[in-house]
Amino acid sequence: MTAYEPPGAPGTGTGTGTGPTRGADPAGYDAVVLAGGASRRLGGTDKPGVRVGGRALLDRVLAACGGARSTVVVAAPRPTARAVTWAREDPPGGGPLAALDAGLRHTRAEHVVVLSADLPFLQEPTVGRLLDALRSSGRDGVLLTDPGGRDQPLVAAYRAPRLREELALLAGRHGALAGLPLRRLTAELDLTRISDPVASFDCDTWDDIATARARIREHGHVLDEWISAVKDELGIDLEVDTRGLLDLARDAAHGVARPAAPLTTFLVGYAAAQAGGGPEAVEEAARKAVALAARWAQESTTSEAQQPGDGALPPEGDVAPDATPDTRPDAG
C-alpha cells in the first residue's frame, strides 16, 4: 500500500469563502465536488488527499473546475490549493444524494458541474465540453461514460433547478435522501452522454492509483503534468506556450552553451513579470530571447566560416539594422 502524505501544511491554501465572485455572465456555472465517502477499497485512507503527480486528487479536480463562479466541496474541511466553500451532508456519510443536496444549497448558477474527488485526468476542456453539450441539448444533464459504456453521474453537468426538484421529490417520497443510490436521481432525469475514457477514469483502488501515477510519467504526459503541478504549487494561473519556451531553451543550449538554457528561461520569466505578467508578456520576452539566440548562433557560425582578413562581408542579418559594414567598431 502506498503511504499517504498530507496535502499541505495546516492552513495552507484552505479556503472558507465562495471562491471566484459570481458575475452576471449567463454562461457561468457552479461546481459541486463530492469528497466524502469511506474509501473502503483503499483501506479507509483519505482518498481525496492521496497524491497523484505530486498533487492531491481533490486539488486536481478543483483545477479542472477552476472556471466555476463558486465551488462547493462536500467533505470535512482540509487544506486545498484553491479557495472553496465547504459543506457537509446530514448525517455525515449519508451517501451521494445527501451530499449533492448539501452542496447544491450553496450554489446559485443555472448550470452546475457535479464531480467526484477521485478523477486524476479530468481537465478544464472536458468540463467545458460537458457544459457546451448541456447548453445546446436542452436536456436535464450531460454525463461522461467510461470505457465500458457505464454512466458516470459524478462527472457531469446538470441544470440545477431540475436537480433540486427531483431531490425534493425523492426526499418527500423516502423521508430522507441519506442512503439512497444515485440511480434513483438519474433515472428521473433526461440525460445525454459523452464518451471520454480518460477523463472518466476514477481511482477506487490502490491499483487505480498506481495506474494513474504511471500514466502521468509517460513521455507524452510528464511535461504537462509537471508544469501543471508547479503552477498549482506556486499559485500561478497562467497559460503559456510551453513548446515555445522549450524551443527557446533548446536554441540557447545549442547556440550559446548548455547552462544558458535554464538561465535564459528564468530571465524570460523575470522580464515578463517586470512587464506586468500575462501570456503576452511571456510571449514577447521569449520572442526577443529567441531572436537573440539566433543572432548569437549565426555569429558563431559566421566566425568559424570566415578566415581573418579575408575581406568578406557579413551575411545579411549579421549586422544591426542601424549599422553598415564600414561603420562597425572593428571596421578597418
Side-chain angles (χ1 to χ4, degrees):
M1 178 179 293
T2 304
Y4 164 74
E5 298 178 21
T12 303
T14 301
T16 56
T18 58
T21 302
R22 294 184 180 93
D25 181 5
Y29 73 96
D30 290 339
V32 174
V33 181
L34 307 189
S39 301
R40 293 183 181 87
R41 284 187 279 179
L42 289 179
T45 296
D46 176 36
K47 182 165 62 172
V50 174
R51 294 185 178 187
V52 172
R55 292 187 289 166
L57 284 171
L58 175 57
D59 282 334
R60 297 178 72 91
V61 172
L62 293 179
C65 59
R69 289 186 286 180
S70 177
T71 300
V72 183
V73 179
V74 186
R78 71 190 64 214
T80 54
R82 295 172 183 263
V84 301
T85 296
W86 296 97
R88 204 72 170 110
E89 71 272 31
D90 185 22
L97 286 190
L100 176 56
D101 181 65
L104 282 174
R105 294 177 186 274
H106 296 270
T107 66
R108 297 180 187 173
E110 172 76 15
H111 302 132
V112 60
V113 171
V114 178
L115 305 168
S116 62
D118 60 353
L119 303 164
F121 304 130
L122 182 69
Q123 296 183 344
E124 277 197 279
T126 301
V127 171
R129 284 180 62 210
L130 289 167
L131 289 164
D132 288 344
L134 177 64
R135 292 169 183 136
S136 63
S137 70
R139 303 288 187 88
D140 295 335
V142 180
L143 48 78
L144 291 191
T145 58
D146 68 12
R150 293 179 293 271
D151 288 350
Q152 298 294 312
L154 296 184
V155 199
Y158 298 98
R159 299 188 188 278
R162 285 291 293 125
L163 288 184
R164 293 190 181 97
E165 178 183 352
E166 290 300 332
L167 286 170
L169 289 173
L170 286 169
R173 191 179 306 151
H174 297 276
L177 294 172
L180 295 181
L182 265 174
R183 63 177 179 272
R184 293 288 181 90
L185 173 66
T186 56
E188 303 298 327
L189 299 175
D190 181 17
L191 302 173
T192 188
R193 292 153 178 83
I194 294 176
S195 176
D196 192 328
V198 176
S200 63
F201 180 89
D202 56 359
C203 293
D204 289 328
T205 67
W206 286 111
D207 284 344
D208 294 336
I209 296 291
T211 297
R213 286 173 171 170
R215 184 182 186 277
I216 65 171
R217 286 171 171 77
E218 293 174 358
H219 177 71
H221 307 289
V222 64
L223 184 60
D224 288 339
E225 287 287 347
W226 170 248
I227 294 300
S228 295
V230 170
K231 289 194 296 185
D232 263 14
E233 188 72 16
L234 299 180
I236 299 171
D237 189 12
L238 176 66
E239 293 300 324
V240 297
D241 182 2
T242 303
R243 300 303 167 189
L245 291 177
L246 285 176
D247 288 343
L248 164 62
R250 178 203 62 204
D251 293 343
H254 292 178
V256 183
R258 187 169 297 277
L263 294 173
T264 303
T265 50
F266 164 77
L267 292 172
V268 163
Y270 185 83
Q274 292 290 93
E280 296 81 5
V282 175
E283 182 180 355
E284 176 61 14
R287 183 192 63 77
K288 292 179 178 179
V290 167
L292 174 62
R295 295 196 302 271
W296 186 290
Q298 187 177 46
E299 288 178 11
S300 177
T301 302
T302 301
S303 298
E304 292 174 359
Q306 290 180 333
Q307 295 298 321
D310 64 3
L313 293 177
E316 185 179 355
D318 194 38
V319 183
D322 59 349
T324 58
D326 61 345
T327 60
R328 290 170 62 178
D330 58 349

